[in-house]
Amino acid sequence: LKAEIIMVGSELISGDKYDINGPYLAGSLAAIGIDVFRITTVGDKKRAIEGALRSGCAEAETGLIIVTGGLGPTKDDITTDAAAAFTGYPLIVHDEALKHVRSLVKCRDKESLHAHERQALIPRTAELLKNHLGTAYGYILRHEDKILAFMPGEPKEMMDMAERELIPSLKDRGLAGSAPGTKSFHVFGLSEVAIESLITAPLEEFECLKTAYLPSLLEVTVRLSSRAGDGGGIMEQATAVIRRALNDSVFAEDDITMEQAVGNLLRKRGMTLALAESCTGGLIGHRITNVSGSSDYFLMGLVVYSNEAKTRFLEVEPSLLKEYGAVSSEVAARMAEGAREAAGASIGLAVTGIAGPAGGSRDKPVGTVFIALASDAGNRCKGFRFRGSREDIKALTAQNALDLLRRALIGL
Amino acid sequence: LKAEIIMVGSELISGDKYDINGPYLAGSLAAIGIDVFRITTVGDKKRAIEGALRSGCAEAETGLIIVTGGLGPTKDDITTDAAAAFTGYPLIVHDEALKHVRSLVKCRDKESLHAHERQALIPRTAELLKNHLGTAYGYILRHEDKILAFMPGEPKEMMDMAERELIPSLKDRGLAGSAPGTKSFHVFGLSEVAIESLITAPLEEFECLKTAYLPSLLEVTVRLSSRAGDGGGIMEQATAVIRRALNDSVFAEDDITMEQAVGNLLRKRGMTLALAESCTGGLIGHRITNVSGSSDYFLMGLVVYSNEAKTRFLEVEPSLLKEYGAVSSEVAARMAEGAREAAGASIGLAVTGIAGPAGGSRDKPVGTVFIALASDAGNRCKGFRFRGSREDIKALTAQNALDLLRRALIGL
């Protein structure tokens, strides 16, 4: 059984919005052994939606068609009209959906009640998919030998509905296949080509595993997958091979993020962290505190954008700033020490740099960054020259700072 | 003339990767007056690619089909084979492309030269699209009354090729229409439905304008567009109508972000800002410093995750923390004052809250947040109860804090 995903929304074909529903649904379906054959994105036009339903149903391999978007209360939202026209099922008011809409709209905005009541008009014979977050119920229809599922386009509502309603219903209907075994490795500091050259030969004996490389600005994810179930611990063996080949460059596996990996190491070592951020403006602290429970090891961050703040809070001597400039290894090292002392933390981590697009010079062009660590084991500092937009340079600085901290913690 | 975008890549239908090529291309085409009718995403399968080309060509309104992906050197990359099979043009070696591949691969990796040379096999009659960043040349074919363009899937290469090669070629071919006039309003503090009820009636007289609502977690974007060119300043009139109807709730227009709007106001007022962040962990500072030149008004941020840091750096009395708790309007207000004093800034902005998922209580459940402002005009503090994930709560806290600051600056 294969699936087709149809996304409805004029904003998705006008360049106004990135789609996150398609990849999410494809991933959820893959996890229950259903492959996606095609994703089609069309605007809020009845003819286009019906056309997409028609080609989806014409595909012999496809048994499941999932449509997202166009279930809202405004007059743009015409997916249900298109579904009714395509399948021939008349629209009727579903009491459960009507009650749901009324209960939600009551506490919000009376004027719009009438518009929202349209959302309870759903094709006859539909199995309802509850919306736990908003007014738009989804539903499942049978059409000839295909199953058609309709869900709202708002990503949070769609994702919640997929997880709590759609996927269980597909399982109940016996549509779930055997999920592939997968294992992901998050790699930092090696390019896709370098990783490939390190692991291709050692992985040759694992013929039944597929290797995928997913590069992004901040990491390369290597993903192994086995379609045939994991006979005889093959995945474990391959995992050991990859860990050996890539070693410290694997900063985390599966769902673990860089900031979680760093947090786990700090907790394990019983150490605390203080930050001094200049060019990242708070991004490193933001990432560290994306981890629940980070208050156990994260004491404080100082975002010292001005020289005065660097001097006042981190005791960076004005003479140091004058002699070497705020963007220098000397100032970075002093900032790391200053943060550590000020917070009484085990480790101080500091960054200073030129994120651009203005502020560069011949000696220190945009992208020049220094990252420093201070701890009982001594201080270290590293210089970088990043390329990219202001946001890229901030993101690369934060990732490199976290990775430097991670490697130092492993070494301790 | 409408366009169809076909994206080829198994990673795009497996949930492994978000697509950014589709929205980028759609936006580039919209800017030269070409609407996208449909975006289709298929895996690296010859049958699926040919099928997508066939349905694209079957669409009467569609004159232009743009295919991205599958032009690489590995055996997965079969888009060109599919293009040749579909159009009937034989593949021939294009000397210019071959020279290009050889010059690039020479300085990289000799082993893969043979694989890369396949990239110079391109259908006869093709107009080449140069790749300034990688080995994969793109190309344009005529097929019956349609124009088919093929480009690599790697986003940086594709975007560069689109901008420097494809769009100019489409213009040369006389395919560019008149770009629509558009105007965007970024709204905070009003729901999509509330906005619609405020502006639908006043906009009724502007029949030739289309209104689109693009809601996200942190704002609703209202977008007006006129296809027919902007006769007699209609867009200006409609802009005045929307500004009047939505007033202060419009925090920015067009490409301006919340942090830019806040920065512009601070600069205009000649004021400086200091931050004290608890639950946001640095996110507000990160956003403020996403604006180039923010060092003119942003002095310092203190990320005070621990109570000790709150006391030490912001002079929050331990008794206050004991009596009201760290998450309270009293402590938020003191943090804002403390940040302002410590930095000698015109304005102090502080947030404290429970981002969850742990740490909530009956009195102060997860999502409880207090935001405070301190300035010469006095102090203000506002309490919130947000819902969502840890990251949502952090994001909502930052957005509300920036908006509170923005409204205060307007009032000053």
Side-chain angles (χ1 to χ4, degrees):
Chain A
L1 174 86
K2 297 214 168 183
E4 164 117 11
I5 298 173
I6 297 172
M7 293 186 296
V8 178
S10 294
E11 72 280 10
L12 298 171
I13 56 167
S14 63
D16 291 320
K17 214 165 185 176
Y18 294 108
D19 163 57
I20 57 174
N21 287 346
Y24 176 87
L25 270 176
S28 303
L29 292 170
I32 59 167
I34 300 176
D35 280 342
V36 170
F37 173 72
R38 180 170 57 187
I39 301 177
T40 303
T41 311
V42 294
D44 297 292
K45 300 263 184 249
K46 211 168 155 194
R47 194 176 73 79
I49 301 170
E50 287 185 61
L53 286 168
R54 199 170 308 115
S55 16
C57 287
E59 200 58 54
E61 280 183 77
T62 302
L64 169 66
I65 296 165
I66 301 178
V67 184
T68 66
L71 302 187
T74 73
K75 59 180 189 299
D76 283 1
D77 295 300
I78 51 155
T79 296
T80 294
D81 289 340
F86 176 71
T87 59
Y89 293 123
L91 295 177
I92 63 166
V93 173
H94 283 245
D95 288 340
E96 182 192 336
L98 186 65
K99 236 197 245 165
H100 174 72
V101 166
R102 285 186 174 158
S103 73
L104 274 184
V105 177
K106 203 182 295 173
C107 38
R108 302 213 293 216
D109 173 7
K110 285 196 178 180
E111 270 187 20
S112 61
L113 182 61
H114 187 70
H116 281 288
E117 283 182 346
R118 260 189 65 215
Q119 295 182 290
L121 272 173
I122 290 172
R124 192 154 53 79
T125 79
E127 176 201 340
L128 297 184
L129 300 171
K130 284 183 192 165
N131 188 329
H132 299 269
L133 303 176
T135 52
Y137 262 37
Y139 49 91
I140 295 181
L141 298 174
R142 276 208 146 273
H143 178 67
E144 294 162 4
D145 61 336
K146 315 285 182 187
I147 294 195
L148 314 184
F150 296 82
M151 294 196 289
E154 202 288 312
K156 289 234 149 73
E157 297 180 23
M158 191 289 289
M159 291 173 188
D160 186 75
M161 186 180 289
E163 191 188 328
R164 290 162 73 168
E165 302 277 328
L166 177 69
I167 297 290
S169 172
L170 295 177
K171 284 182 180 164
D172 286 350
R173 288 163 187 260
L175 295 175
S178 71
T182 62
K183 178 81 194 166
S184 299
F185 304 86
H186 305 287
V187 184
F188 184 75
L190 292 173
S191 72
E192 183 181 355
V193 171
I195 296 168
E196 197 175 9
S197 76
L198 285 169
I199 65 176
T200 301
L203 281 181
E204 239 162 30
E205 59 177 303
F206 303 97
E207 275 172 18
C208 57
L209 297 182
K210 220 183 74 186
T211 313
Y213 300 89
L214 310 167
S216 68
L217 181 67
L218 301 183
E219 65 168 88
V220 178
T221 301
V222 178
R223 213 177 59 156
L224 297 179
S225 54
S226 68
R227 174 136 304 286
D230 185 357
I234 286 173
M235 196 63 95
E236 278 76 31
Q237 292 172 39
T239 295
V241 163
I242 289 193
R243 285 182 187 150
R244 202 157 47 230
L246 302 180
N247 206 341
D248 278 4
S249 297
V250 176
F251 64 80
E253 296 181 4
D254 298 327
D255 294 337
I256 306 298
T257 62
M258 174 69 91
E259 44 268 42
Q260 282 172 326
V262 166
N264 291 341
L265 284 165
L266 283 166
R267 196 189 297 277
K268 204 164 126 190
R269 302 271 186 274
M271 300 184 96
T272 54
L273 176 68
L275 297 173
E277 303 188 52
S278 180
C279 61
T280 44
L283 174 57
I284 302 174
H286 170 49
R287 289 191 56 189
I288 291 275
T289 60
N290 276 342
V291 181
S292 180
S294 47
S295 51
D296 293 348
Y297 46 80
F298 178 51
L299 300 185
M300 190 199 62
L302 287 158
V303 181
V304 284
Y305 231 53
S306 67
N307 280 347
E308 293 69 35
K310 290 185 182 73
T311 299
R312 176 144 180 205
F313 292 98
L314 298 171
E315 297 179 22
V316 180
E317 297 81 1
S319 60
L320 211 62
L321 288 164
K322 208 166 191 178
E323 190 172 347
Y324 300 102
V327 177
S328 62
S329 61
E330 290 78 6
V331 167
R334 185 64 212 122
M335 284 168 64
E337 285 164 30
R340 184 180 175 231
E341 286 160 16
S346 333
I347 300 183
L349 174 63
V351 301
T352 178
I354 302 159
S361 67
R362 236 189 71 184
D363 280 0
K364 293 178 184 172
V366 167
T368 303
V369 169
F370 295 92
I371 302 177
L373 264 178
S375 75
D376 273 345
N379 298 348
R380 65 175 81 177
C381 185
K382 214 171 155 183
F384 298 86
R385 195 155 290 177
F386 299 122
R387 298 202 323 175
S389 66
R390 182 177 179 87
E391 294 197 18
D392 285 355
I393 290 170
K394 288 178 72 179
L396 288 165
T397 302
Q399 185 79 343
N400 275 281
L402 291 170
D403 194 61
L404 204 73
L405 173 56
R406 180 184 69 86
R407 287 174 189 268
L409 287 166
I410 290 173
L412 286 175
Chain B
L1 173 87
K2 297 212 168 185
E4 164 118 11
I5 298 172
I6 298 173
M7 293 187 295
V8 178
S10 294
E11 72 282 8
L12 298 171
I13 56 167
S14 63
D16 289 322
K17 211 163 187 176
Y18 293 108
D19 164 56
I20 58 173
N21 287 344
Y24 176 86
L25 270 176
S28 302
L29 293 170
I32 58 165
I34 300 176
D35 280 342
V36 170
F37 173 72
R38 180 169 58 186
I39 301 177
T40 303
T41 311
V42 294
D44 297 293
K45 300 263 184 250
K46 210 169 156 193
R47 194 177 72 79
I49 302 170
E50 286 186 61
L53 285 169
R54 200 171 306 115
S55 16
C57 287
E59 200 59 54
E61 280 183 76
T62 302
L64 170 67
I65 296 166
I66 300 178
V67 183
T68 66
L71 301 187
T74 74
K75 59 180 189 298
D76 283 1
D77 295 300
I78 51 157
T79 296
T80 294
D81 290 341
F86 176 71
T87 59
Y89 294 123
L91 295 177
I92 62 164
V93 173
H94 283 244
D95 287 338
E96 182 192 336
L98 186 65
K99 235 198 246 167
H100 174 72
V101 165
R102 285 186 174 158
S103 73
L104 274 184
V105 177
K106 202 182 295 174
C107 39
R108 298 213 293 218
D109 173 7
K110 286 196 178 181
E111 270 185 19
S112 60
L113 181 62
H114 186 71
H116 280 288
E117 283 181 347
R118 261 190 63 216
Q119 295 182 289
L121 273 174
I122 291 173
R124 191 153 54 80
T125 79
E127 176 203 339
L128 296 183
L129 300 171
K130 284 184 191 164
N131 188 330
H132 300 268
L133 303 175
T135 52
Y137 262 36
Y139 50 90
I140 296 181
L141 299 175
R142 276 210 146 272
H143 178 68
E144 293 163 5
D145 60 335
K146 315 285 184 191
I147 294 193
L148 314 184
F150 296 82
M151 294 196 289
E154 202 288 312
K156 286 221 159 77
E157 296 181 23
M158 191 288 289
M159 291 174 188
D160 186 73
M161 186 181 290
E163 192 188 327
R164 291 163 72 167
E165 301 278 327
L166 177 68
I167 298 288
S169 172
L170 295 177
K171 283 183 181 165
D172 286 348
R173 289 163 187 262
L175 295 175
S178 68
T182 63
K183 178 81 195 168
S184 299
F185 304 86
H186 304 287
V187 185
F188 184 76
L190 292 173
S191 72
E192 182 182 355
V193 172
I195 296 167
E196 198 177 11
S197 76
L198 284 169
I199 65 177
T200 302
L203 282 181
E204 239 163 32
E205 58 177 305
F206 303 97
E207 274 172 17
C208 57
L209 297 181
K210 222 185 70 187
T211 313
Y213 300 89
L214 310 167
S216 69
L217 180 67
L218 300 184
E219 66 167 87
V220 179
T221 301
V222 179
R223 212 177 61 157
L224 297 180
S225 54
S226 69
R227 175 135 305 284
D230 184 356
I234 285 173
M235 196 62 95
E236 279 76 32
Q237 292 173 38
T239 294
V241 162
I242 289 194
R243 285 183 185 149
R244 202 157 48 232
L246 302 180
N247 205 338
D248 278 4
S249 298
V250 176
F251 64 81
E253 297 180 3
D254 298 326
D255 294 336
I256 307 298
T257 62
M258 174 70 92
E259 44 270 41
Q260 283 173 325
V262 166
N264 291 341
L265 285 164
L266 284 165
R267 197 189 296 276
K268 205 164 127 190
R269 302 270 187 274
M271 300 183 95
T272 54
L273 176 68
L275 296 174
E277 303 188 51
S278 182
C279 60
T280 44
L283 174 57
I284 302 174
H286 170 49
R287 289 191 55 190
I288 290 275
T289 61
N290 276 343
V291 182
S292 180
S294 47
S295 50
D296 292 349
Y297 46 78
F298 178 52
L299 300 185
M300 190 200 63
L302 288 157
V303 181
V304 283
Y305 232 54
S306 66
N307 279 348
E308 292 69 35
K310 290 185 183 73
T311 300
R312 176 144 181 209
F313 292 97
L314 298 171
E315 298 180 20
V316 180
E317 296 82 2
S319 61
L320 211 62
L321 288 164
K322 208 166 191 178
E323 190 173 349
Y324 300 102
V327 178
S328 61
S329 60
E330 290 79 4
V331 167
R334 185 64 212 122
M335 285 168 65
E337 284 165 31
R340 185 180 175 231
E341 287 160 15
S346 331
I347 300 184
L349 174 63
V351 301
T352 178
I354 303 159
S361 66
R362 236 189 69 185
D363 279 0
K364 294 178 184 171
V366 167
T368 303
V369 169
F370 294 92
I371 302 177
L373 264 178
S375 75
D376 273 345
N379 298 349
R380 66 176 79 179
C381 186
K382 215 170 153 183
F384 298 85
R385 194 154 291 178
F386 299 122
R387 299 204 318 178
S389 68
R390 182 177 180 86
E391 294 197 18
D392 286 354
I393 290 170
K394 289 178 70 177
L396 287 165
T397 302
Q399 184 79 342
N400 275 281
L402 291 170
D403 195 60
L404 205 71
L405 173 57
R406 181 184 68 87
R407 287 174 189 269
L409 288 166
I410 291 173
L412 287 175

